[in-house]
Amino acid sequence: MPAATGMVKYPEKGEMRLLTDRPPQLETPLEVFKKDITPNEFFFVRWHLAEIVRRIDEDTFRLRIGGAVAHPLELSMNDLRTKFPADSMVALCICSGNSRASFDPKVPGSQWGNGAMGNAKWKGVRVKDILAMAGVQKGAVDVSFAGMDKGTLPGVPGFTKSLSIDHATDGEVLIAYEMNGTPIPMLNGYPLKLVVPGWYASYWVGALGNIEVHKEKYKGFWMEKAYRIANTPGRTERPDSLVKETIPLTTVQLHSIFVSPTGAEPLKAGQKYTLEGLTFNDGSGISRVEVSADGGKTWAAATMDPEIGKYSWRRWKHEWTPATTGSYDLAVRATDSKGNTQPEKQWNRSGYARGFIEHIKVQAQ
């Protein structure tokens, strides 16, 4: 994947930061996050295989369900809209490498800032209902979901992720056909996208084409080799002492970011500012957000907007006035409903699941 820089416009998309062009990886500008719902035209783009889907005939497209089921299915888009009850939710979709550029020391991979995520309202069909129609056979343990994107070379494994049968049928996992009230953009996975709320976007398979039920644990490249992380508290390890045991990366790590200020604009001493940002985790709940203006020596409580969905991000705000001219080290941290607070340090070899405290430097004049 060639390195790329600068802002670009792709079909159905506004101006976004280009990380790679094959496959396309596009990052959302930070100012877009001043909206609670991320507009489709600015929703980040992340593909794994170079040959992405560029055209779909909705009349002939079929979602195939097979494996350990009593009744294999081939469902049209019309079937999905008319034969199953529709469900919807607001949920955060976040790349596991979001904020990778902030890891120190640096790690390989696309150097995302904070824009490899988006909050959207998803509408579709519960996987639970589709599998009920197919009739899951006794003894089934896993369900795999395969996208229609392909590699350019023979032998490149297709992008397939799996969930346990219990997770897949918990009533929350969706197959979405709408995103913010319209069909899903082609670059975000049209015509169908798996929505796994509270889990990283590596499980949100785009251009979903095939579902298979398994009586044995599914073992594929994207589960056994890729998207794995240290099996340690905080998902952390040391550069000089990498852990031997890794596990599949699943749930979203507790984190919070600044949206405003960005650190690029000068502030005026004695003038009140509204510090603003976002906080999120796996859906288990955030109990508080705190802000520091002295690099973490002292903390003050921020206010949080009401929840707009269990799996949505939450906006936080805090009024702050720089008392004098000079440099300030602003920091933000969140604490979840179980009492866990973001750590000051975290590192892993892949730059996954950033959870450490965000700092930004601002200058008051």
Side-chain angles (χ1 to χ4, degrees):
M1 296 185 294
T5 59
M7 304 297 286
V8 297
K9 293 184 74 171
Y10 272 53
E12 299 184 282
K13 293 294 179 180
E15 200 169 22
M16 303 177 71
R17 177 179 174 238
L18 177 67
L19 280 85
T20 63
D21 54 13
R22 192 177 188 195
Q25 296 187 82
L26 306 176
E27 181 169 349
T28 303
L30 194 62
E31 60 266 24
V32 174
F33 293 155
K34 292 182 179 180
K35 299 179 179 180
D36 286 337
I37 299 297
T38 309
N40 289 4
E41 61 266 32
F42 290 107
F43 207 93
F44 85 100
V45 173
R46 169 70 168 109
W47 292 89
H48 298 84
L49 303 178
E51 294 297 329
I52 66 172
V53 176
R54 291 178 170 84
R55 186 177 293 106
I56 289 286
D57 184 343
E58 192 169 304
D59 292 332
T60 60
F61 168 79
R62 297 293 184 270
L63 174 65
R64 292 175 170 82
I65 299 91
V69 296
H71 313 288
L73 302 174
E74 293 190 0
L75 300 173
S76 68
M77 293 297 292
N78 186 61
D79 290 335
L80 293 169
R81 293 190 181 102
T82 62
K83 293 185 178 181
F84 302 90
D87 197 5
S88 62
M89 69 170 68
V90 176
L92 171 68
C93 178
I94 176 171
C95 177
S96 56
N98 192 49
S99 308
R100 179 182 284 128
S102 62
F103 277 71
D104 184 20
K106 295 292 186 182
V107 297
S110 297
Q111 297 301 300
W112 295 101
N114 286 335
M117 64 177 184
N119 208 39
K121 184 174 182 179
W122 310 93
K123 180 180 179 181
V125 180
R126 291 183 292 266
V127 172
K128 175 182 179 179
D129 294 338
I130 291 177
L131 293 182
M133 177 179 280
V136 175
Q137 294 179 3
K138 186 176 180 180
V141 296
D142 262 8
V143 184
S144 63
F145 302 85
M148 293 183 286
D149 47 327
K150 299 177 180 178
T152 55
L153 299 175
V156 174
F159 190 72
T160 302
K161 296 291 283 186
S162 66
L163 301 173
S164 71
I165 189 70
D166 289 341
H167 189 178
T169 58
D170 68 2
E172 292 191 317
V173 180
L174 297 182
I175 295 174
Y177 47 71
E178 283 187 11
M179 178 178 171
N180 294 331
T182 63
I184 297 169
M186 187 70 72
L187 286 174
N188 291 117
Y190 177 85
L192 299 174
K193 187 178 187 72
L194 187 68
V195 173
V196 188
W199 284 35
Y200 281 105
S202 54
Y203 285 89
W204 295 47
V205 179
L208 180 66
N210 187 76
I211 300 173
E212 187 166 354
V213 179
H214 304 267
K215 287 191 174 182
E216 296 182 353
K217 185 175 177 58
Y218 172 79
K219 294 183 178 180
F221 174 83
W222 298 100
M223 294 297 297
E224 297 292 306
K225 301 294 183 180
Y227 286 110
R228 298 181 69 86
I229 198 164
N231 187 18
T232 60
R235 299 168 180 173
T236 190
E237 57 189 335
R238 288 168 42 190
D240 60 352
S241 181
L242 300 181
V243 303
K244 294 182 179 180
E245 183 183 1
T246 64
I247 56 175
L249 177 62
T250 56
T251 55
V252 175
Q253 184 94 333
L254 175 68
H255 190 38
S256 48
I257 69 168
F258 284 95
V259 172
S260 179
T262 64
E265 68 275 37
L267 308 180
K268 291 183 179 180
Q271 182 173 322
K272 182 184 290 185
Y273 290 92
T274 300
L275 308 182
E276 179 182 344
L278 301 167
T279 185
F280 46 85
N281 68 353
D282 59 3
S284 58
I286 309 290
S287 64
R288 68 180 183 272
V289 174
E290 298 166 293
V291 178
S292 173
D294 55 15
K297 295 177 183 177
T298 61
W299 296 90
T303 60
M304 286 190 290
D305 285 0
E307 284 189 1
I308 58 174
K310 176 182 177 181
Y311 295 106
S312 165
W313 61 33
R314 288 186 73 178
R315 190 170 303 279
W316 62 263
K317 296 177 182 178
H318 180 69
E319 299 295 327
W320 173 69
T321 302
T324 62
T325 60
S327 178
Y328 291 87
D329 181 357
L330 301 182
V332 59
R333 68 183 184 187
T335 300
D336 66 19
S337 58
K338 300 176 183 177
N340 301 306
T341 301
Q342 290 179 243
E344 184 64 42
K345 295 182 179 180
Q346 174 205 16
W347 187 90
N348 58 70
R349 72 192 78 176
S350 300
Y352 287 155
R354 177 183 168 169
F356 59 92
I357 294 171
E358 175 161 307
H359 291 255
I360 61 169
K361 298 281 186 155
V362 297
Q363 191 73 26
Q365 299 177 347

